Short mmCIF file of all heavy atoms in Angstrom, two decimals:
data_model
loop_
_atom_site.label_atom_id
_atom_site.label_comp_id
_atom_site.label_asym_id
_atom_site.label_seq_id
_atom_site.Cartn_x
_atom_site.Cartn_y
_atom_site.Cartn_z
N SER S 1 -0.62 18.60 9.62
CA SER S 1 -0.34 17.18 9.42
C SER S 1 -0.41 16.85 7.91
O SER S 1 -0.98 17.62 7.10
CB SER S 1 -1.44 16.35 10.15
OG SER S 1 -2.75 16.66 9.64
N THR S 2 0.23 15.79 7.58
CA THR S 2 0.28 15.33 6.14
C THR S 2 -0.73 14.14 6.03
O THR S 2 -0.69 13.16 6.71
CB THR S 2 1.69 14.87 5.80
OG1 THR S 2 2.61 15.98 5.83
CG2 THR S 2 1.72 14.28 4.38
N LYS S 3 -1.65 14.32 5.03
CA LYS S 3 -2.60 13.23 4.73
C LYS S 3 -2.27 12.75 3.34
O LYS S 3 -1.77 13.47 2.40
CB LYS S 3 -4.02 13.81 4.69
CG LYS S 3 -4.51 14.30 6.12
CD LYS S 3 -4.68 13.14 7.09
CE LYS S 3 -5.16 13.62 8.39
NZ LYS S 3 -6.58 14.15 8.32
N TRP S 4 -2.52 11.46 3.11
CA TRP S 4 -2.18 10.74 1.83
C TRP S 4 -3.52 10.72 0.97
O TRP S 4 -4.58 10.44 1.51
CB TRP S 4 -1.69 9.38 2.05
CG TRP S 4 -0.32 9.35 2.58
CD1 TRP S 4 0.07 9.55 3.87
CD2 TRP S 4 0.89 9.20 1.89
NE1 TRP S 4 1.45 9.52 4.05
CE2 TRP S 4 1.98 9.26 2.76
CE3 TRP S 4 1.20 9.03 0.53
CZ2 TRP S 4 3.29 9.19 2.35
CZ3 TRP S 4 2.53 8.97 0.12
CH2 TRP S 4 3.54 9.01 1.02
N THR S 5 -3.31 10.95 -0.31
CA THR S 5 -4.39 10.79 -1.27
C THR S 5 -4.53 9.35 -1.64
O THR S 5 -3.67 8.53 -1.29
CB THR S 5 -4.16 11.66 -2.54
OG1 THR S 5 -2.97 11.13 -3.15
CG2 THR S 5 -3.90 13.13 -2.17
N GLN S 6 -5.60 9.04 -2.38
CA GLN S 6 -5.71 7.65 -2.83
C GLN S 6 -4.60 7.27 -3.79
O GLN S 6 -4.16 6.14 -3.88
CB GLN S 6 -7.09 7.43 -3.44
CG GLN S 6 -8.28 7.55 -2.46
CD GLN S 6 -8.15 6.68 -1.22
OE1 GLN S 6 -7.72 5.52 -1.29
NE2 GLN S 6 -8.48 7.19 -0.04
N LYS S 7 -4.20 8.23 -4.61
CA LYS S 7 -3.10 8.04 -5.54
C LYS S 7 -1.84 7.72 -4.77
O LYS S 7 -1.03 6.86 -5.11
CB LYS S 7 -2.87 9.26 -6.40
CG LYS S 7 -1.77 9.11 -7.42
CD LYS S 7 -1.65 10.38 -8.25
CE LYS S 7 -0.48 10.26 -9.26
NZ LYS S 7 -0.33 11.45 -10.14
N GLY S 8 -1.63 8.46 -3.64
CA GLY S 8 -0.45 8.19 -2.77
C GLY S 8 -0.57 6.79 -2.15
O GLY S 8 0.45 6.13 -1.93
N ARG S 9 -1.75 6.40 -1.76
CA ARG S 9 -1.95 5.12 -1.21
C ARG S 9 -1.58 3.97 -2.15
O ARG S 9 -0.96 3.02 -1.79
CB ARG S 9 -3.43 4.89 -0.83
CG ARG S 9 -3.78 3.69 -0.03
CD ARG S 9 -5.30 3.65 0.23
NE ARG S 9 -5.71 2.60 1.10
CZ ARG S 9 -6.99 2.29 1.36
NH1 ARG S 9 -7.92 3.10 0.87
NH2 ARG S 9 -7.32 1.29 2.15
N LEU S 10 -1.90 4.12 -3.50
CA LEU S 10 -1.50 3.14 -4.47
C LEU S 10 0.00 3.20 -4.69
O LEU S 10 0.66 2.21 -4.93
CB LEU S 10 -2.24 3.43 -5.79
CG LEU S 10 -3.73 3.06 -5.77
CD1 LEU S 10 -4.35 3.37 -7.14
CD2 LEU S 10 -3.97 1.65 -5.38
N PHE S 11 0.62 4.39 -4.62
CA PHE S 11 2.07 4.49 -4.74
C PHE S 11 2.74 3.73 -3.62
O PHE S 11 3.72 2.98 -3.87
CB PHE S 11 2.44 6.01 -4.67
CG PHE S 11 3.93 6.26 -4.42
CD1 PHE S 11 4.85 5.96 -5.43
CD2 PHE S 11 4.39 6.67 -3.19
CE1 PHE S 11 6.24 6.17 -5.23
CE2 PHE S 11 5.77 6.87 -2.98
CZ PHE S 11 6.69 6.59 -3.97
N ILE S 12 2.26 3.84 -2.37
CA ILE S 12 2.79 3.12 -1.26
C ILE S 12 2.62 1.61 -1.53
O ILE S 12 3.52 0.87 -1.24
CB ILE S 12 2.05 3.56 0.06
CG1 ILE S 12 2.51 4.93 0.43
CG2 ILE S 12 2.50 2.58 1.22
CD1 ILE S 12 1.81 5.51 1.66
N TYR S 13 1.46 1.25 -2.03
CA TYR S 13 1.23 -0.18 -2.32
C TYR S 13 2.20 -0.71 -3.28
O TYR S 13 2.84 -1.76 -2.99
CB TYR S 13 -0.19 -0.39 -2.84
CG TYR S 13 -0.50 -1.74 -3.44
CD1 TYR S 13 -0.67 -2.80 -2.62
CD2 TYR S 13 -0.54 -1.93 -4.84
CE1 TYR S 13 -0.93 -4.09 -3.15
CE2 TYR S 13 -0.75 -3.17 -5.36
CZ TYR S 13 -0.96 -4.25 -4.46
OH TYR S 13 -1.23 -5.48 -5.01
N ASP S 14 2.45 -0.07 -4.38
CA ASP S 14 3.43 -0.54 -5.41
C ASP S 14 4.80 -0.51 -4.80
O ASP S 14 5.65 -1.44 -5.07
CB ASP S 14 3.39 0.35 -6.63
CG ASP S 14 2.06 0.11 -7.42
OD1 ASP S 14 1.57 -0.96 -7.34
OD2 ASP S 14 1.63 1.08 -8.11
N LEU S 15 5.20 0.52 -4.01
CA LEU S 15 6.52 0.63 -3.41
C LEU S 15 6.78 -0.55 -2.47
O LEU S 15 7.79 -1.19 -2.51
CB LEU S 15 6.61 1.92 -2.71
CG LEU S 15 7.92 2.26 -2.00
CD1 LEU S 15 9.00 2.55 -3.02
CD2 LEU S 15 7.82 3.38 -1.02
N LEU S 16 5.78 -0.77 -1.57
CA LEU S 16 5.98 -1.89 -0.56
C LEU S 16 5.97 -3.24 -1.24
O LEU S 16 6.66 -4.15 -0.77
CB LEU S 16 4.93 -1.79 0.51
CG LEU S 16 4.97 -0.51 1.40
CD1 LEU S 16 3.92 -0.59 2.47
CD2 LEU S 16 6.34 -0.26 2.03
N LYS S 17 5.16 -3.40 -2.26
CA LYS S 17 5.13 -4.70 -3.00
C LYS S 17 6.49 -5.03 -3.55
O LYS S 17 6.89 -6.21 -3.53
CB LYS S 17 4.07 -4.62 -4.09
CG LYS S 17 3.87 -5.99 -4.78
CD LYS S 17 2.68 -5.96 -5.72
CE LYS S 17 2.82 -5.01 -6.85
NZ LYS S 17 1.73 -5.15 -7.85
N GLN S 18 7.24 -3.99 -4.00
CA GLN S 18 8.56 -4.35 -4.52
C GLN S 18 9.50 -4.78 -3.40
O GLN S 18 10.55 -5.39 -3.73
CB GLN S 18 9.13 -3.01 -5.13
CG GLN S 18 8.47 -2.56 -6.44
CD GLN S 18 8.91 -1.31 -6.98
OE1 GLN S 18 9.99 -0.83 -6.63
NE2 GLN S 18 8.16 -0.72 -7.87
N GLN S 19 9.11 -4.48 -2.13
CA GLN S 19 9.93 -4.87 -0.96
C GLN S 19 9.42 -6.15 -0.38
O GLN S 19 9.86 -6.56 0.65
CB GLN S 19 9.93 -3.80 0.11
CG GLN S 19 10.32 -2.41 -0.40
CD GLN S 19 11.69 -2.34 -0.97
OE1 GLN S 19 12.63 -2.94 -0.43
NE2 GLN S 19 11.81 -1.67 -2.15
N GLY S 20 8.43 -6.83 -1.08
CA GLY S 20 7.87 -8.00 -0.50
C GLY S 20 6.88 -7.80 0.57
O GLY S 20 6.54 -8.73 1.31
N ILE S 21 6.39 -6.54 0.73
CA ILE S 21 5.37 -6.29 1.83
C ILE S 21 3.98 -6.06 1.15
O ILE S 21 3.83 -5.14 0.38
CB ILE S 21 5.79 -4.97 2.57
CG1 ILE S 21 7.26 -5.11 3.16
CG2 ILE S 21 4.81 -4.69 3.71
CD1 ILE S 21 7.75 -3.86 3.77
N LEU S 22 3.05 -6.88 1.53
CA LEU S 22 1.70 -6.87 0.96
C LEU S 22 0.65 -6.50 2.01
O LEU S 22 0.88 -6.84 3.18
CB LEU S 22 1.37 -8.22 0.29
CG LEU S 22 2.28 -8.64 -0.85
CD1 LEU S 22 1.84 -10.09 -1.27
CD2 LEU S 22 2.14 -7.71 -2.05
N PRO S 23 -0.41 -5.89 1.61
CA PRO S 23 -1.53 -5.57 2.57
C PRO S 23 -2.15 -6.84 3.03
O PRO S 23 -2.09 -7.91 2.33
CB PRO S 23 -2.44 -4.73 1.76
CG PRO S 23 -2.22 -5.09 0.34
CD PRO S 23 -0.73 -5.36 0.26
N LEU S 24 -2.79 -6.77 4.20
CA LEU S 24 -3.42 -8.01 4.77
C LEU S 24 -4.47 -8.63 3.86
O LEU S 24 -4.61 -9.84 3.83
CB LEU S 24 -4.06 -7.61 6.09
CG LEU S 24 -3.14 -7.15 7.23
CD1 LEU S 24 -3.90 -6.85 8.49
CD2 LEU S 24 -2.01 -8.16 7.46
N ILE S 25 -5.13 -7.78 3.10
CA ILE S 25 -6.17 -8.31 2.16
C ILE S 25 -5.63 -9.28 1.15
O ILE S 25 -6.33 -10.20 0.68
CB ILE S 25 -6.97 -7.13 1.46
CG1 ILE S 25 -8.18 -7.66 0.77
CG2 ILE S 25 -6.08 -6.38 0.51
CD1 ILE S 25 -9.04 -6.56 0.20
N GLU S 26 -4.36 -9.11 0.84
CA GLU S 26 -3.75 -9.98 -0.13
C GLU S 26 -3.16 -11.28 0.48
O GLU S 26 -2.54 -12.05 -0.16
CB GLU S 26 -2.66 -9.24 -0.98
CG GLU S 26 -3.28 -8.21 -1.79
CD GLU S 26 -2.37 -7.64 -2.92
OE1 GLU S 26 -1.31 -8.17 -3.10
OE2 GLU S 26 -2.74 -6.60 -3.55
N HIS S 27 -3.28 -11.31 1.81
CA HIS S 27 -2.91 -12.55 2.53
C HIS S 27 -4.15 -13.36 2.86
O HIS S 27 -4.13 -14.25 3.63
CB HIS S 27 -2.21 -12.19 3.82
CG HIS S 27 -0.85 -11.64 3.62
ND1 HIS S 27 0.22 -12.47 3.34
CD2 HIS S 27 -0.39 -10.38 3.65
CE1 HIS S 27 1.32 -11.70 3.18
NE2 HIS S 27 0.99 -10.39 3.37
N GLY S 28 -5.28 -12.92 2.28
CA GLY S 28 -6.56 -13.59 2.52
C GLY S 28 -7.17 -13.24 3.81
O GLY S 28 -8.00 -14.00 4.36
N GLU S 29 -6.80 -12.11 4.44
CA GLU S 29 -7.40 -11.72 5.73
C GLU S 29 -7.58 -10.22 5.71
O GLU S 29 -6.98 -9.47 4.98
CB GLU S 29 -6.47 -12.16 6.84
CG GLU S 29 -5.07 -11.60 6.70
CD GLU S 29 -4.15 -12.07 7.86
OE1 GLU S 29 -4.49 -11.91 9.04
OE2 GLU S 29 -3.12 -12.66 7.55
N MET S 30 -8.48 -9.72 6.52
CA MET S 30 -8.76 -8.31 6.60
C MET S 30 -8.21 -7.79 7.92
O MET S 30 -8.15 -8.50 8.91
CB MET S 30 -10.29 -8.07 6.59
CG MET S 30 -10.92 -8.42 5.32
SD MET S 30 -10.41 -7.36 3.91
CE MET S 30 -11.10 -5.82 4.42
#
């Protein structure tokens, strides 16, 4: 199986943010 590192997690964050997709924590909810 493929596991993501924390660096990869931040890469996904920046990538999705460019697509207008934000994590729930940035919508004020967990």
Side-chain angles (χ1 to χ4, degrees):
S1 62
T2 296
K3 296 292 183 66
W4 288 83
T5 64
Q6 297 303 322
K7 181 179 179 181
R9 188 182 185 186
L10 290 179
F11 166 71
I12 291 176
Y13 169 74
D14 289 330
L15 180 73
L16 295 184
K17 183 169 67 173
Q18 293 175 16
Q19 309 301 316
I21 304 172
L22 297 174
L24 297 180
I25 191 174
E26 294 195 8
H27 290 282
E29 55 184 303
M30 294 294 294

